[in-house]
Amino acid sequence: MSEKQDFRIVDRPSGVEQTENGKDVDVMEALLSGKAIQKSVQTSRGRFTILYTTGRDRLRIDRYKAIRRSGIRVDAFDEYAEYNNNVWSTLDIVVVDGPDWYKQAKEKNPRWSWEEVPDEELIVELFDMVKSFRAEITERIRGSGIGKAAGESELSAAQAPVDDGTFSGLAYGRPGAKG
């Protein structure tokens, strides 16, 4: 990997930036060492800083979703309500900084949440950026060399793990065979 990164590696507790500018950083190593990965994104209503979620962050998102459901079973909500719950709960965790209007809203109301934002287009725009960022970092994690044996390679999507060899055809019969 020789592409230049467009995100930052930061210490989780203090938020002090620890970026190796222009260097190829192994994001798996950074995450395992307790660092956070953040990205600045430009939206129609300003620049926000978003966080790549770890398992602990996703658990917090799940807790927020459960709180919003107030103990009511998930299947009692329609698809749109669950989508909104997921979006608001996710943004409440992953957006760590934003423009002045965002900072002022959070300062005035420490319990402020994205469900209070009337601009649905902004919410969807930002949520889509969060999903894209997550996919980008997930892909970089897949490419990490941590824990892989030397010379280990991934199978291409077109290459089957077991092609027309000894075990082919056992599950569904041989091609062209009548059973």
Side-chain angles (χ1 to χ4, degrees), residues 22-36:
K23 290 185 181 176
D24 196 22
V25 175
D26 188 320
V27 295
M28 176 88 163
E29 182 178 358
L31 289 167
L32 288 173
S33 68
K35 304 289 185 191

Side-chain angles (χ1 to χ4, degrees), residues 35-179:
K35 304 289 185 191
I37 300 175
Q38 297 178 348
K39 182 176 185 174
S40 179
V41 294
Q42 182 64 44
T43 69
S44 58
R45 296 208 183 256
R47 184 167 291 282
F48 292 88
T49 302
I50 57 177
L51 174 72
Y52 175 80
T53 54
T54 62
R56 182 172 290 138
D57 298 320
R58 289 190 305 276
L59 182 59
R60 287 180 55 214
I61 291 167
D62 288 341
R63 285 184 185 136
Y64 277 33
K65 291 186 327 191
I67 289 167
R68 282 187 168 97
R69 286 187 205 110
S70 301
I72 301 169
R73 292 184 1 208
V74 175
D75 60 3
F77 295 91
D78 66 16
E79 187 177 322
Y80 189 69
E82 266 308 292
Y83 174 78
N84 284 335
N85 189 356
N86 186 42
V87 169
W88 296 328
S89 298
T90 300
L91 294 180
D92 283 347
I93 299 299
V94 303
V95 178
V96 295
D97 198 12
D100 288 341
W101 67 263
Y102 167 83
K103 291 175 188 171
Q104 289 169 1
K106 288 188 69 89
E107 188 176 294
K108 287 179 185 174
N109 179 5
R111 296 174 47 121
W112 182 89
S113 169
W114 280 93
E115 66 188 89
E116 299 175 39
V117 176
D119 185 350
E120 289 184 30
E121 286 183 23
L122 168 65
I123 291 172
V124 171
E125 176 186 20
L126 192 53
F127 186 67
D128 286 345
M129 290 177 174
V130 166
K131 289 190 307 186
S132 294
F133 177 51
R134 178 150 184 82
E136 172 191 343
I137 298 302
T138 299
E139 190 61 34
R140 296 210 34 173
I141 289 171
R142 279 191 200 113
S144 170
I146 299 227
K148 292 185 179 176
E152 187 175 298
S153 64
E154 296 181 20
L155 293 173
S156 70
Q159 187 179 9
V162 178
D163 44 332
D164 204 23
T166 307
F167 298 105
S168 68
L170 286 181
Y172 301 106
R174 292 215 173 267
K178 296 186 180 180

